[in-house]
Coordinates of all heavy atoms in Angstrom, one line a residue:
K253 N 103.0 8.6 -19.2 CA 103.4 9.3 -20.4 C 102.6 8.9 -21.6 O 102.3 9.7 -22.5 CB 104.9 9.1 -20.5 CG 105.8 9.8 -19.4 CD 107.2 9.6 -19.9 CE 108.1 10.3 -18.8 NZ 109.6 10.1 -19.2
A265 N 86.2 13.1 -31.6 CA 85.3 12.1 -32.2 C 84.4 11.5 -31.2 O 83.1 11.2 -31.6 CB 86.2 11.1 -33.1
R276 N 66.0 8.6 -26.4 CA 64.6 8.0 -26.2 C 64.0 7.7 -27.6 O 62.9 8.0 -27.8 CB 63.7 9.1 -25.5 CG 64.2 9.4 -24.1 CD 63.2 10.3 -23.4 NE 63.8 10.7 -22.1 CZ 63.2 11.6 -21.4 NH1 62.2 12.3 -21.7 NH2 63.8 12.0 -20.2
A290 N 55.0 21.5 -32.2 CA 54.2 22.0 -31.2 C 53.6 23.3 -31.7 O 52.3 23.5 -31.3 CB 55.0 22.3 -29.9
A300 N 39.2 26.1 -34.8 CA 38.1 25.6 -34.0 C 37.6 26.7 -32.9 O 36.4 26.7 -32.8 CB 38.5 24.3 -33.1
V302 N 37.9 29.8 -33.4 CA 37.1 30.8 -34.2 C 35.8 30.4 -34.4 O 34.8 31.1 -34.5 CB 37.9 31.2 -35.4 CG1 37.1 32.1 -36.3 CG2 39.2 31.9 -35.2
L319 N 24.1 31.3 -19.1 CA 22.8 30.8 -19.0 C 22.4 30.5 -17.5 O 21.2 30.8 -17.2 CB 22.5 29.5 -19.7 CG 22.6 29.4 -21.3 CD1 22.6 28.1 -21.8 CD2 21.5 30.2 -21.8
T341 N -25.3 41.6 -13.8 CA -25.3 43.1 -13.6 C -26.8 43.5 -13.5 O -27.6 42.7 -13.5 CB -24.6 43.8 -14.9 OG1 -25.5 43.5 -16.0 CG2 -23.3 43.2 -15.1
H349 N -17.1 36.8 -21.1 CA -17.2 38.3 -21.5 C -15.7 38.7 -21.6 O -14.8 38.3 -20.7 CB -17.9 39.1 -20.6 CG -18.1 40.4 -21.1 ND1 -19.1 40.7 -21.9 CD2 -17.5 41.6 -20.8 CE1 -19.1 42.1 -22.2 NE2 -18.0 42.6 -21.5
Y361 N 15.8 36.2 -10.6 CA 16.1 34.7 -10.9 C 17.5 34.5 -10.4 O 18.5 35.1 -10.7 CB 15.9 34.2 -12.2 CG 14.5 34.3 -12.7 CD1 14.0 35.3 -13.4 CD2 13.6 33.2 -12.4 CE1 12.6 35.4 -13.9 CE2 12.3 33.2 -12.8 CZ 11.7 34.4 -13.6 OH 10.5 34.3 -13.8
F379 N -20.2 46.1 -19.8 CA -21.4 45.2 -20.1 C -22.5 46.1 -20.7 O -23.1 47.0 -20.0 CB -21.9 44.5 -18.9 CG -20.8 43.7 -18.4 CD1 -20.0 44.2 -17.2 CD2 -20.5 42.3 -18.7 CE1 -18.9 43.4 -16.7 CE2 -19.4 41.6 -18.1 CZ -18.7 42.1 -17.1
L385 N -16.7 47.4 -15.3 CA -16.1 46.6 -14.1 C -14.5 46.8 -14.2 O -13.9 46.5 -15.2 CB -16.3 45.1 -14.4 CG -15.7 44.1 -13.4 CD1 -16.0 44.3 -12.0 CD2 -15.9 42.7 -13.8
M393 N 4.9 36.5 -6.3 CA 4.8 35.2 -7.0 C 6.2 34.5 -6.9 O 7.3 35.1 -6.9 CB 4.5 35.4 -8.5 CG 3.2 36.0 -8.7 SD 2.7 36.0 -10.5 CE 2.4 34.3 -10.7
A394 N 6.1 33.2 -6.8 CA 7.4 32.2 -7.0 C 7.4 31.8 -8.5 O 6.3 31.5 -9.0 CB 7.3 31.1 -6.0
Y396 N 9.8 29.9 -11.9 CA 10.9 29.1 -12.4 C 11.3 29.5 -13.9 O 10.3 29.4 -14.6 CB 10.7 27.6 -12.2 CG 12.0 26.8 -12.9 CD1 13.1 26.7 -12.0 CD2 12.0 26.2 -14.1 CE1 14.1 26.0 -12.5 CE2 12.9 25.5 -14.6 CZ 14.2 25.3 -13.7 OH 15.2 24.6 -14.3
G409 N 5.0 30.3 -13.0 CA 5.0 30.7 -11.7 C 3.6 30.8 -11.2 O 2.5 30.6 -11.8
S427 N -18.1 47.6 -4.8 CA -16.7 47.4 -4.7 C -16.3 46.5 -3.5 O -17.2 46.4 -2.6 CB -15.9 48.7 -4.6 OG -16.2 49.4 -3.5
S480 N -6.2 35.1 -19.4 CA -5.7 36.1 -20.3 C -4.5 35.7 -21.1 O -3.9 34.7 -20.7 CB -5.4 37.4 -19.4 OG -4.2 37.1 -18.5
F489 N 18.4 42.8 -16.7 CA 19.5 43.4 -16.0 C 20.5 42.4 -15.3 O 19.9 41.3 -14.9 CB 18.9 44.4 -14.9 CG 18.0 45.4 -15.6 CD1 16.5 45.2 -15.5 CD2 18.4 46.6 -16.1 CE1 15.7 46.0 -16.0 CE2 17.5 47.5 -16.6 CZ 16.2 47.2 -16.7

Side-chain angles (χ1 to χ4, degrees):
K253 292 182 180 181
R276 297 179 183 176
V302 173
L319 293 174
T341 68
H349 191 81
Y361 290 96
F379 302 91
L385 174 63
M393 301 185 70
Y396 178 78
S427 63
S480 63
F489 306 95

